[in-house]
Amino acid sequence: MPPRQPRRAAVQTLESWQAAGVSHIRPKRGTEKSAPPAAESTPVAAPPLPVVAPAPPADRQAALCQLAEVVSRCTRCTELARTRKQTVFGVGNPHAKVMFIGEAPGADEDKQGEPFVGRAGQLLNRIIVACGWQREEIYICNILRCRPPENRTPLPDEAANCREYLDGQINIIQPEYIVCWGSCAAQNLLGTTESIGKMRQRWFTYANARVLCTYHPSYLLRNPDAKKPVWDDMLLLLKEMGLKPPKLAT
Ligand code: URA
Ligand code: URA
């Protein structure tokens, strides 16, 4: 009898791809014809595995649930799987136009199983409201689905292990806009080492989405002076979407 483990792993991988609506796999880099970049966007050479589904699955909620179930059993990062209370998959509208990507769950998120529910999350919620949205309208996830011990920065291997799940969520939701909050999200999604300060106020493309990068809400908690540039970035996003921020009572 052959060992069962490799087969199970392969089936799980296929299940998670299927859940993500993946119907074809991008050929190795260099063998494909690259799509022309969107005007005034900085094109980003996608890493080998984002597999861009031609169409989202009919039932996005079901596809997300199926992928979340696969993620909940993930042990690719031995240390994270051992130390997490639970995985933190993502939350929000499966039909969201806008996807937010943060870094990784912290202690509060690890406890509650939802991204951005701690202090940074409360600030993020205020930014969402200032833009005229409700939290439930958008989709929020992270580069990692497990809390790194002591909230250390995600390791490159961890981000790589979790990438298939992030790309799965992007494939299912097919957001028109992605906001990367902080340098971890921006650098990992776009495969660059450019600083967040140099990436903000510019448009990138990833999968079918236009991508904007800005400072992380945790950074704003430590550096309130950065709130103005983040608001400028949100205004750029709203303008691109043909929206205006609401006048809020002060
Ligand atoms: N910081 C993040 O980047 N993500 C969370 O979910 C919480 C805090
Ligand atoms: N450095 C980061 O990693 N993120 C920020 O948002 C700002 C500085």
Side-chain angles (χ1 to χ4, degrees):
M1 279 271 285
R4 300 188 65 83
Q5 263 334 81
R7 183 174 178 276
R8 225 178 65 202
V11 167
Q12 277 178 11
T13 301
L14 285 172
E15 274 173 8
S16 71
W17 287 357
Q18 201 177 34
V22 170
S23 62
H24 71 279
I25 295 174
R26 189 187 293 253
K28 248 166 95 181
R29 244 196 284 176
T31 62
E32 69 200 297
K33 272 194 249 142
S34 57
E40 93 270 26
S41 282
T42 308
V44 169
L49 227 195
V51 265
V52 179
D59 189 342
R60 299 186 197 193
Q61 186 63 65
L64 286 171
C65 283
Q66 203 183 333
L67 185 58
E69 204 279 319
V70 172
V71 166
S72 74
R73 290 182 275 122
C74 183
T75 53
R76 289 178 181 178
C77 305
T78 316
E79 184 190 21
L80 303 190
R82 189 165 41 81
T83 55
R84 74 183 178 220
K85 283 194 168 50
Q86 60 187 312
T87 53
V88 178
F89 181 68
V91 72
N93 179 1
H95 295 267
K97 242 188 189 182
V98 183
M99 179 187 267
F100 283 0
I101 304 177
E103 180 171 323
D108 295 304
E109 291 76 23
D110 183 52
K111 226 177 270 165
Q112 295 183 44
E114 182 171 327
F116 282 106
V117 292
R119 241 160 61 82
Q122 282 161 23
L123 178 52
L124 189 68
N125 289 347
R126 292 206 293 278
I127 297 171
I128 290 170
V129 169
C131 289
W133 294 320
Q134 293 179 338
R135 184 174 156 103
E136 299 70 34
E137 277 178 76
I138 51 191
Y139 191 85
I140 307 176
C141 62
N142 284 304
I143 292 295
L144 294 193
R145 272 128 209 78
C146 296
R147 180 195 182 196
E150 313 299 329
N151 301 333
R152 63 162 170 71
T153 304
L155 302 172
D157 274 0
E158 293 167 346
N161 286 342
C162 221
R163 185 55 175 255
E164 187 187 336
Y165 305 137
L166 175 63
D167 282 331
Q169 284 163 298
I170 293 172
N171 277 335
I172 292 166
I173 294 159
Q174 303 251 333
E176 286 176 40
Y177 301 90
I178 292 175
V179 180
C180 291
W181 295 90
S183 57
C184 172
Q187 293 179 349
N188 274 294
L189 184 78
L190 300 172
T192 171
T193 54
E194 257 195 293
S195 72
I196 188 73
K198 291 215 172 98
M199 294 174 84
R200 55 175 295 273
Q201 286 288 306
R202 284 161 60 187
W203 288 104
F204 297 84
T205 52
Y206 185 79
N208 299 327
R210 316 202 65 207
V211 181
L212 191 67
C213 306
T214 194
Y215 297 117
H216 193 284
S218 301
Y219 179 79
L220 300 187
L221 292 171
R222 300 190 302 271
N223 303 276
D225 286 354
K227 286 183 181 174
K228 170 75 170 67
V230 167
W231 185 238
D232 289 342
D233 294 335
M234 292 303 105
L235 291 176
L236 181 62
L237 172 64
L238 290 169
K239 187 170 156 220
E240 188 67 23
M241 296 177 73
L243 301 173
K244 281 200 169 122
K247 290 196 168 52
L248 296 177
T250 46

